[in-house]
């Protein structure tokens, strides 16, 4: 069985690193006495970390990555909405247009590049068709 520690670290640290901004912003909000916003951010991060660990691909070797990535992506989008709400902004007063969608589109590239892949694809001992 191949050693896949690097891949495990990549999944875990990569996803958790993607939420570090929420931790920092939550701490800033708590320091600013915006305790509701701060603690909501901490809750979002705790949920995200639990989902990242529970939906790790080595725990579900026959599940396509796109299914495993969907929940962290949803939580990531929720955290963006939380940040907008925490600053008191709304979509209407942010002066956004449809071209701004192209700014966030690159974060979805992993769905195209690794979406159909399964953890078992890298481990010949677990490969099965489902």
């Amino acid at each position: 069985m191949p050693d896949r520690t690097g891949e495990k670290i990549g999944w875990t640290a990569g996803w958790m690193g993607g939420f570090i901004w929420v931790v920092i912003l939550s701490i800033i909000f708590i320091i600013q006495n915006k305790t509701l916003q701060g603690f909501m951010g901490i809750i979002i991060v705790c949920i995200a970390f639990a989902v990242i660990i529970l939906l790790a691909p080595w725990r579900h070797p026959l599940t396509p990555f796109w299914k495993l990535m969907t929940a962290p992506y949803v939580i990531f989008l929720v955290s963006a909405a939380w940040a907008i709400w925490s600053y008191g902004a709304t979509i209407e007063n942010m002066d956004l247009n449809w071209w701004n969608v192209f700014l966030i589109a690159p974060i979805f590239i992993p769905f195209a590049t690794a979406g159909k892949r399964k953890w078992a694809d890298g481990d010949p001992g677990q490969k099965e068709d489902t």
Side-chain angles (χ1 to χ4, degrees), residues 4 61-62 116-124 126-128:
R4 299 181 68 182
L62 300 176
K116 291 183 181 181
R117 185 176 183 273
K118 301 173 187 167
W119 184 260
D121 294 343
D123 186 5
Q126 292 185 12
K127 211 171 200 176
E128 294 179 18

Side-chain angles (χ1 to χ4, degrees), residues 9-93:
I9 292 170
W11 173 272
T12 308
W15 275 114
M16 289 183 177
F19 286 94
I20 197 71
W21 67 274
V22 180
V23 174
I24 294 167
L25 200 54
S26 296
I27 292 168
I28 290 170
F29 286 142
I30 291 170
I31 291 170
Q32 293 176 340
N33 285 329
K34 295 182 178 181
T35 53
L36 175 63
Q37 292 89 339
F39 285 115
M40 284 183 68
I42 298 295
I43 290 169
I44 290 170
V45 169
C46 290
I47 292 169
F49 284 8
V51 166
I52 291 163
I53 291 167
L54 293 173
L55 293 181
W58 54 93
R59 294 178 184 268
H60 309 279
L62 300 176
T63 305
F65 279 9
W66 75 265
K67 289 183 180 181
L68 300 173
M69 291 188 296
T70 300
Y73 267 106
V74 167
I75 297 168
F76 190 78
L77 294 174
V78 166
S79 66
W82 161 82
I84 292 168
W85 169 79
S86 294
Y87 277 109
T90 63
I91 298 298
E92 293 81 28
N93 69 11

Side-chain angles (χ1 to χ4, degrees), residues 99-110:
W99 288 104
N100 296 118
V101 172
F102 291 110
L103 296 174
I104 64 167
I107 68 170
F108 296 103
I109 289 173

